[in-house]
Amino acid sequence: MAVHFKGPILNNVTHAGSRAFFSDLPAGVVQNDYVVRFNDFLLTSENPSFGTFESYDEIKTGTGTIAQAADAKAGGITLTTSGASGDIIGYFDDEASYALTGGTKLWFEAKCTLGSVANVKFGLGLASSTTSIISNTNKIAMIFDTANSTSGTQWICQNTASSTSTTTASGVTASAASYVVGFRWDGSAVYYYLNRSLVATHTTNIPTAALGIQVLVHTTAVATKALAVDYHMAVQER
């Protein structure tokens, strides 16, 4: 079962800087006012590969695995592809709880650690189905893709509505390191953050389809690729 925080974890901060991501997100989030999904992957039973990870579906094209991080500080899971080119491993929240319609504000954040950044695609964010978040026709995502035409070396910010995308290179070159990736919707624009620093603002091609959390790694070479996830969080006003 996912962990749902009700206490002073989330902050009402409107200042610039590293806390700007949390603008208008109140400290006293309650379930009847907000749809809250937070998972710290603390329990083995929360491993998506067991098929009992609340309503999460495993996305899998080969023999890749999703494994609990053994004795990891604050929990975590690792997604690892097989060594076959084209192998995909990931997970999707099929409740599709979120939609960017009207003025209801939304926040998404995840902390991840990338493995090798050669011949690989990583994606984290919200998507409309189990179709890879890299190619999903309705999504909001932070993506690294060595084959991307906008940038094959930087994290990219991309939202897609009915197959039409707005894409911006973040200016941050991806490496085998840890990142906090996220975005927020204020009712008129999507603001993208890397390590809680604003890197892009999009106002076009905002999806209106129902969306769920998706995290995925896709190898494009005969090589094993890995993505570790410490936590993910999505919050939206009801």
Side-chain angles (χ1 to χ4, degrees):
M1 182 175 181
V3 178
H4 299 303
F5 285 105
K6 297 181 181 179
I9 301 296
L10 308 177
N11 302 277
N12 182 18
V13 178
T14 57
H15 305 300
S18 64
R19 308 304 290 174
F21 170 80
F22 296 104
S23 291
D24 301 321
L25 186 57
V29 170
V30 291
Q31 301 294 319
N32 54 330
D33 290 331
Y34 294 84
V35 178
V36 181
R37 304 281 275 182
F38 184 99
N39 205 314
D40 214 3
F41 306 108
L42 292 171
L43 302 176
T44 302
S45 61
E46 292 176 337
N47 187 330
S49 65
F50 294 143
T52 58
F53 181 58
E54 283 209 348
S55 58
Y56 287 62
D57 288 341
E58 191 174 63
I59 304 169
K60 191 172 184 176
T61 62
T63 58
T65 60
I66 301 178
Q68 194 80 15
D71 299 320
K73 179 182 179 182
I77 55 173
T78 301
L79 291 69
T80 308
T81 70
S82 74
S85 180
D87 190 28
I88 293 172
I89 186 71
Y91 60 86
F92 173 67
D93 176 1
D94 65 3
E95 280 194 353
S97 303
Y98 303 97
L100 276 66
T101 56
T104 53
K105 298 180 178 69
L106 177 147
W107 300 260
F108 172 86
E109 185 177 270
K111 184 176 181 180
C112 65
T113 301
L114 308 186
S116 168
V117 293
N119 303 305
V120 68
K121 304 172 190 280
F122 298 110
L124 304 94
L126 302 178
S128 61
S129 68
T130 55
T131 298
S132 167
I133 198 166
I134 309 298
S135 57
N136 201 288
T137 57
N138 291 282
K139 66 167 179 290
I140 315 166
M142 295 296 299
I143 292 170
F144 174 72
D145 177 2
T146 52
N148 187 270
S149 60
T150 298
S151 176
T153 60
Q154 298 179 20
W155 281 97
I156 63 168
C157 312
Q158 186 173 80
N159 46 269
T160 305
S162 301
S163 301
T164 303
S165 298
T166 298
T167 307
T168 302
S170 68
V172 178
T173 299
S175 63
S178 294
Y179 297 91
V180 176
V181 300
F183 50 80
R184 64 182 178 90
W185 162 253
D186 69 354
S188 59
V190 178
Y191 302 87
Y192 289 89
Y193 296 82
L194 267 169
N195 297 326
R196 295 188 180 157
S197 293
L198 182 66
V199 292
T201 303
H202 291 177
T203 58
T204 57
N205 297 312
I206 306 300
T208 57
L211 306 173
I213 297 168
Q214 189 185 135
V215 175
L216 177 142
V217 55
H218 176 179
T219 181
T220 58
V222 182
T224 298
K225 304 295 179 181
L227 173 66
V229 183
D230 184 354
Y231 66 84
H232 67 229
M233 176 195 79
V235 179
Q236 186 169 31
E237 295 175 329
R238 290 185 184 276

